[in-house]
Short mmCIF file of all heavy atoms in Angstrom, two decimals:
data_model
loop_
_atom_site.label_atom_id
_atom_site.label_comp_id
_atom_site.label_asym_id
_atom_site.label_seq_id
_atom_site.Cartn_x
_atom_site.Cartn_y
_atom_site.Cartn_z
N LEU K 827 16.78 -21.19 47.85
CA LEU K 827 15.86 -21.11 46.62
C LEU K 827 14.62 -20.40 47.09
O LEU K 827 13.61 -21.09 47.43
CB LEU K 827 15.61 -22.52 46.11
CG LEU K 827 16.65 -23.07 45.07
CD1 LEU K 827 18.06 -22.99 45.71
CD2 LEU K 827 16.28 -24.52 44.72
N SER K 828 14.56 -19.09 46.94
CA SER K 828 13.37 -18.34 47.20
C SER K 828 12.62 -18.14 45.89
O SER K 828 12.34 -17.06 45.41
CB SER K 828 13.72 -16.95 47.79
OG SER K 828 12.64 -16.14 48.01
N VAL K 829 12.23 -19.29 45.29
CA VAL K 829 11.52 -19.30 44.02
C VAL K 829 10.42 -20.35 44.02
O VAL K 829 10.30 -21.11 45.05
CB VAL K 829 12.53 -19.68 42.83
CG1 VAL K 829 13.65 -18.64 42.77
CG2 VAL K 829 13.17 -21.06 43.13
N GLY K 830 9.67 -20.39 42.97
CA GLY K 830 8.55 -21.42 42.96
C GLY K 830 9.12 -22.87 42.96
O GLY K 830 10.22 -23.05 42.39
N PRO K 831 8.35 -23.79 43.48
CA PRO K 831 8.94 -25.15 43.52
C PRO K 831 9.06 -25.84 42.15
O PRO K 831 9.88 -26.75 42.08
CB PRO K 831 7.77 -25.91 44.34
CG PRO K 831 6.57 -25.08 44.16
CD PRO K 831 7.05 -23.67 44.10
N GLU K 832 8.49 -25.24 41.11
CA GLU K 832 8.65 -25.79 39.80
C GLU K 832 10.10 -25.60 39.29
O GLU K 832 10.53 -26.23 38.30
CB GLU K 832 7.69 -25.15 38.80
CG GLU K 832 7.82 -23.67 38.55
CD GLU K 832 7.06 -22.83 39.55
OE1 GLU K 832 6.69 -23.30 40.66
OE2 GLU K 832 6.82 -21.65 39.22
N PHE K 833 10.87 -24.71 39.93
CA PHE K 833 12.26 -24.50 39.56
C PHE K 833 13.33 -25.23 40.39
O PHE K 833 14.46 -25.19 40.10
CB PHE K 833 12.51 -22.93 39.68
CG PHE K 833 11.64 -22.08 38.86
CD1 PHE K 833 10.81 -21.15 39.37
CD2 PHE K 833 11.54 -22.25 37.47
CE1 PHE K 833 9.98 -20.33 38.66
CE2 PHE K 833 10.67 -21.47 36.69
CZ PHE K 833 9.90 -20.55 37.34
N PHE K 834 12.91 -25.91 41.43
CA PHE K 834 13.85 -26.52 42.32
C PHE K 834 14.74 -27.50 41.63
O PHE K 834 15.94 -27.55 41.80
CB PHE K 834 13.09 -27.29 43.47
CG PHE K 834 12.38 -26.37 44.46
CD1 PHE K 834 11.54 -26.94 45.46
CD2 PHE K 834 12.56 -24.96 44.47
CE1 PHE K 834 10.91 -26.16 46.45
CE2 PHE K 834 11.93 -24.21 45.43
CZ PHE K 834 11.06 -24.76 46.40
N GLU K 835 14.14 -28.40 40.86
CA GLU K 835 14.90 -29.48 40.20
C GLU K 835 15.98 -28.89 39.26
O GLU K 835 17.08 -29.31 39.30
CB GLU K 835 13.98 -30.40 39.46
CG GLU K 835 13.02 -31.13 40.35
CD GLU K 835 11.99 -31.96 39.56
OE1 GLU K 835 12.22 -32.19 38.34
OE2 GLU K 835 10.99 -32.45 40.14
N ARG K 836 15.56 -27.93 38.46
CA ARG K 836 16.50 -27.37 37.48
C ARG K 836 17.63 -26.67 38.14
O ARG K 836 18.79 -26.76 37.72
CB ARG K 836 15.77 -26.50 36.44
CG ARG K 836 15.06 -27.18 35.33
CD ARG K 836 14.50 -26.16 34.35
NE ARG K 836 13.27 -25.58 34.80
CZ ARG K 836 12.63 -24.57 34.20
NH1 ARG K 836 13.13 -24.06 33.03
NH2 ARG K 836 11.50 -24.11 34.69
N ILE K 837 17.34 -25.93 39.22
CA ILE K 837 18.40 -25.21 39.90
C ILE K 837 19.38 -26.22 40.57
O ILE K 837 20.57 -26.01 40.51
CB ILE K 837 17.79 -24.27 40.91
CG1 ILE K 837 17.04 -23.14 40.20
CG2 ILE K 837 18.93 -23.61 41.77
CD1 ILE K 837 16.33 -22.19 41.13
N ALA K 838 18.85 -27.17 41.22
CA ALA K 838 19.67 -28.19 41.88
C ALA K 838 20.62 -28.88 40.88
O ALA K 838 21.76 -29.13 41.07
CB ALA K 838 18.83 -29.23 42.60
N ALA K 839 19.99 -29.23 39.64
CA ALA K 839 20.84 -29.84 38.64
C ALA K 839 21.87 -28.91 38.08
O ALA K 839 23.04 -29.25 37.90
CB ALA K 839 19.90 -30.27 37.49
N GLY K 840 21.55 -27.56 38.00
CA GLY K 840 22.51 -26.58 37.48
C GLY K 840 23.67 -26.40 38.45
O GLY K 840 24.79 -26.25 38.09
N ILE K 841 23.32 -26.47 39.80
CA ILE K 841 24.36 -26.37 40.80
C ILE K 841 25.32 -27.54 40.68
O ILE K 841 26.55 -27.38 40.77
CB ILE K 841 23.77 -26.28 42.19
CG1 ILE K 841 22.98 -24.97 42.40
CG2 ILE K 841 24.87 -26.48 43.31
CD1 ILE K 841 22.20 -24.91 43.62
N GLN K 842 24.78 -28.71 40.49
CA GLN K 842 25.58 -29.96 40.43
C GLN K 842 26.42 -30.03 39.17
O GLN K 842 27.63 -30.21 39.24
CB GLN K 842 24.67 -31.17 40.46
CG GLN K 842 25.48 -32.53 40.45
CD GLN K 842 24.52 -33.72 40.19
OE1 GLN K 842 23.55 -33.56 39.44
NE2 GLN K 842 24.92 -34.85 40.75
N GLU K 843 25.83 -29.73 38.04
CA GLU K 843 26.54 -29.84 36.82
C GLU K 843 27.66 -28.76 36.67
O GLU K 843 28.65 -29.08 35.95
CB GLU K 843 25.53 -29.70 35.68
CG GLU K 843 24.51 -30.85 35.56
CD GLU K 843 23.37 -30.56 34.61
OE1 GLU K 843 23.33 -29.45 34.00
OE2 GLU K 843 22.44 -31.40 34.50
N SER K 844 27.45 -27.68 37.19
CA SER K 844 28.43 -26.52 37.12
C SER K 844 29.63 -26.70 38.06
O SER K 844 30.66 -26.03 37.94
CB SER K 844 27.79 -25.20 37.26
OG SER K 844 27.31 -25.12 38.65
N GLY K 845 29.45 -27.52 39.08
CA GLY K 845 30.48 -27.66 40.08
C GLY K 845 30.37 -26.71 41.18
O GLY K 845 31.24 -26.59 42.06
N LEU K 846 29.26 -25.94 41.18
CA LEU K 846 29.09 -24.95 42.31
C LEU K 846 29.09 -25.59 43.67
O LEU K 846 29.49 -25.02 44.63
CB LEU K 846 27.75 -24.18 42.06
CG LEU K 846 27.77 -22.95 41.26
CD1 LEU K 846 26.36 -22.63 40.75
CD2 LEU K 846 28.42 -21.86 41.97
N GLY K 847 28.63 -26.80 43.71
CA GLY K 847 28.48 -27.43 45.02
C GLY K 847 29.70 -28.34 45.39
O GLY K 847 29.77 -28.88 46.50
N SER K 848 30.58 -28.62 44.47
CA SER K 848 31.73 -29.52 44.72
C SER K 848 32.91 -28.67 45.16
O SER K 848 33.59 -28.04 44.33
CB SER K 848 32.02 -30.30 43.48
OG SER K 848 32.27 -29.45 42.35
N ALA K 849 33.11 -28.52 46.41
CA ALA K 849 34.24 -27.72 46.94
C ALA K 849 34.73 -28.38 48.23
O ALA K 849 34.18 -29.38 48.72
CB ALA K 849 33.69 -26.33 47.26
N ASN K 850 35.81 -27.84 48.72
CA ASN K 850 36.39 -28.36 49.96
C ASN K 850 35.63 -28.01 51.20
O ASN K 850 35.89 -28.61 52.21
CB ASN K 850 37.85 -27.82 50.08
CG ASN K 850 38.71 -28.38 48.94
OD1 ASN K 850 38.59 -29.47 48.47
ND2 ASN K 850 39.65 -27.54 48.50
N GLY K 851 34.76 -27.03 51.11
CA GLY K 851 33.91 -26.67 52.24
C GLY K 851 32.60 -27.41 52.23
O GLY K 851 32.50 -28.47 51.62
N TRP K 852 31.54 -26.89 52.87
CA TRP K 852 30.24 -27.53 52.82
C TRP K 852 29.35 -26.81 51.86
O TRP K 852 29.57 -25.67 51.44
CB TRP K 852 29.65 -27.56 54.27
CG TRP K 852 29.65 -26.30 55.01
CD1 TRP K 852 30.39 -25.94 56.12
CD2 TRP K 852 28.71 -25.24 54.82
NE1 TRP K 852 30.11 -24.71 56.55
CE2 TRP K 852 29.01 -24.25 55.80
CE3 TRP K 852 27.70 -24.86 54.01
CZ2 TRP K 852 28.34 -22.96 55.96
CZ3 TRP K 852 26.98 -23.72 54.04
CH2 TRP K 852 27.33 -22.76 55.05
N LYS K 853 28.26 -27.50 51.47
CA LYS K 853 27.26 -26.91 50.66
C LYS K 853 25.89 -27.31 51.29
O LYS K 853 25.80 -28.36 51.83
CB LYS K 853 27.32 -27.46 49.19
CG LYS K 853 26.92 -28.88 49.01
CD LYS K 853 27.00 -29.22 47.53
CE LYS K 853 26.45 -30.62 47.17
NZ LYS K 853 27.21 -31.72 47.85
N ARG K 854 24.91 -26.38 51.19
CA ARG K 854 23.60 -26.62 51.67
C ARG K 854 22.56 -26.03 50.84
O ARG K 854 22.77 -24.95 50.24
CB ARG K 854 23.44 -26.00 53.12
CG ARG K 854 24.34 -26.74 54.14
CD ARG K 854 24.40 -26.11 55.53
NE ARG K 854 25.42 -26.66 56.35
CZ ARG K 854 26.19 -26.01 57.16
NH1 ARG K 854 25.96 -24.75 57.42
NH2 ARG K 854 27.13 -26.60 57.88
N LEU K 855 21.40 -26.68 50.78
CA LEU K 855 20.29 -26.21 49.96
C LEU K 855 19.15 -25.92 50.83
O LEU K 855 18.69 -26.82 51.60
CB LEU K 855 19.91 -27.32 48.97
CG LEU K 855 18.81 -26.95 47.99
CD1 LEU K 855 19.30 -25.94 46.88
CD2 LEU K 855 18.26 -28.19 47.27
N VAL K 856 18.59 -24.72 50.72
CA VAL K 856 17.45 -24.28 51.55
C VAL K 856 16.27 -24.13 50.58
O VAL K 856 16.43 -23.36 49.58
CB VAL K 856 17.71 -22.99 52.32
CG1 VAL K 856 16.48 -22.60 53.07
CG2 VAL K 856 18.83 -23.18 53.29
N ILE K 857 15.17 -24.79 50.79
CA ILE K 857 13.98 -24.69 49.96
C ILE K 857 12.77 -24.42 50.78
O ILE K 857 12.68 -24.70 51.95
CB ILE K 857 13.74 -25.94 49.06
CG1 ILE K 857 13.59 -27.15 49.90
CG2 ILE K 857 14.96 -26.07 48.10
CD1 ILE K 857 13.26 -28.38 49.09
N GLU K 858 11.83 -23.69 50.14
CA GLU K 858 10.56 -23.36 50.79
C GLU K 858 9.47 -24.35 50.30
O GLU K 858 9.56 -24.88 49.20
CB GLU K 858 10.16 -21.90 50.37
CG GLU K 858 11.06 -20.86 50.86
CD GLU K 858 10.77 -20.31 52.24
OE1 GLU K 858 9.64 -20.64 52.71
OE2 GLU K 858 11.58 -19.57 52.80
N LYS K 859 8.48 -24.50 51.12
CA LYS K 859 7.28 -25.32 50.73
C LYS K 859 6.55 -24.63 49.54
O LYS K 859 6.75 -23.41 49.35
CB LYS K 859 6.33 -25.49 51.92
CG LYS K 859 5.46 -24.28 52.27
CD LYS K 859 4.41 -24.66 53.25
CE LYS K 859 3.45 -23.49 53.43
NZ LYS K 859 2.45 -23.23 52.33
N PRO K 860 5.82 -25.35 48.77
CA PRO K 860 5.39 -26.77 48.96
C PRO K 860 6.50 -27.78 48.47
O PRO K 860 7.11 -27.51 47.51
CB PRO K 860 4.09 -26.96 48.20
CG PRO K 860 4.27 -25.95 47.08
CD PRO K 860 5.08 -24.83 47.64
N PHE K 861 6.59 -28.86 49.25
CA PHE K 861 7.56 -29.92 48.81
C PHE K 861 6.70 -31.02 48.11
O PHE K 861 6.42 -32.05 48.64
CB PHE K 861 8.24 -30.48 50.02
CG PHE K 861 8.79 -29.42 50.98
CD1 PHE K 861 8.35 -29.37 52.29
CD2 PHE K 861 9.70 -28.46 50.50
CE1 PHE K 861 8.93 -28.39 53.15
CE2 PHE K 861 10.15 -27.49 51.30
CZ PHE K 861 9.78 -27.39 52.64
N GLY K 862 6.28 -30.69 46.91
CA GLY K 862 5.39 -31.58 46.20
C GLY K 862 3.95 -31.20 46.27
O GLY K 862 3.57 -30.31 47.07
N HIS K 863 3.11 -31.76 45.42
CA HIS K 863 1.70 -31.49 45.31
C HIS K 863 0.85 -32.61 45.95
O HIS K 863 -0.30 -32.43 46.28
CB HIS K 863 1.34 -31.23 43.88
CG HIS K 863 -0.03 -30.67 43.65
ND1 HIS K 863 -0.44 -29.34 44.05
CD2 HIS K 863 -1.19 -31.26 43.20
CE1 HIS K 863 -1.69 -29.21 43.76
NE2 HIS K 863 -2.14 -30.29 43.24
N ASP K 864 1.45 -33.80 45.93
CA ASP K 864 0.89 -34.98 46.54
C ASP K 864 2.07 -35.96 46.84
O ASP K 864 3.23 -35.60 46.71
CB ASP K 864 -0.18 -35.63 45.64
CG ASP K 864 0.41 -35.93 44.29
OD1 ASP K 864 1.65 -35.95 44.11
OD2 ASP K 864 -0.41 -36.16 43.33
N LEU K 865 1.72 -37.16 47.26
CA LEU K 865 2.69 -38.11 47.67
C LEU K 865 3.64 -38.41 46.58
O LEU K 865 4.91 -38.37 46.77
CB LEU K 865 2.04 -39.43 48.18
CG LEU K 865 2.99 -40.50 48.68
CD1 LEU K 865 3.89 -40.03 49.78
CD2 LEU K 865 2.21 -41.77 49.08
N GLN K 866 3.16 -38.73 45.38
CA GLN K 866 4.08 -39.13 44.31
C GLN K 866 5.00 -37.93 43.83
O GLN K 866 6.13 -38.11 43.63
CB GLN K 866 3.25 -39.66 43.11
CG GLN K 866 4.13 -40.28 42.03
CD GLN K 866 5.08 -41.38 42.52
OE1 GLN K 866 4.65 -42.35 43.23
NE2 GLN K 866 6.40 -41.29 42.30
N SER K 867 4.38 -36.76 43.67
CA SER K 867 5.18 -35.60 43.27
C SER K 867 6.28 -35.25 44.30
O SER K 867 7.35 -34.78 43.95
CB SER K 867 4.31 -34.46 42.95
OG SER K 867 3.63 -33.99 44.11
#
């Protein structure tokens, strides 16, 4: 995910809902910082 962090959640959900990540092999997600804006986020 070479995109802004505001898109992380929607893309991860899209991968899950479409079945892109459910396969007989492995799946991995690579994301760039920032990982949140503060502790709660």
Side-chain angles (χ1 to χ4, degrees):
L827 275 53
S828 179
V829 297
E832 65 271 21
F833 303 120
F834 290 173
E835 296 175 14
R836 278 187 283 172
I837 293 175
I841 291 171
Q842 180 192 33
E843 293 167 1
S844 64
L846 272 164
S848 56
N850 295 325
W852 50 255
K853 70 179 188 297
R854 294 174 191 142
L855 181 74
V856 179
I857 58 176
E858 297 271 348
K859 78 168 185 75
F861 314 122
H863 190 72
D864 55 17
L865 178 59
Q866 188 56 51
S867 62

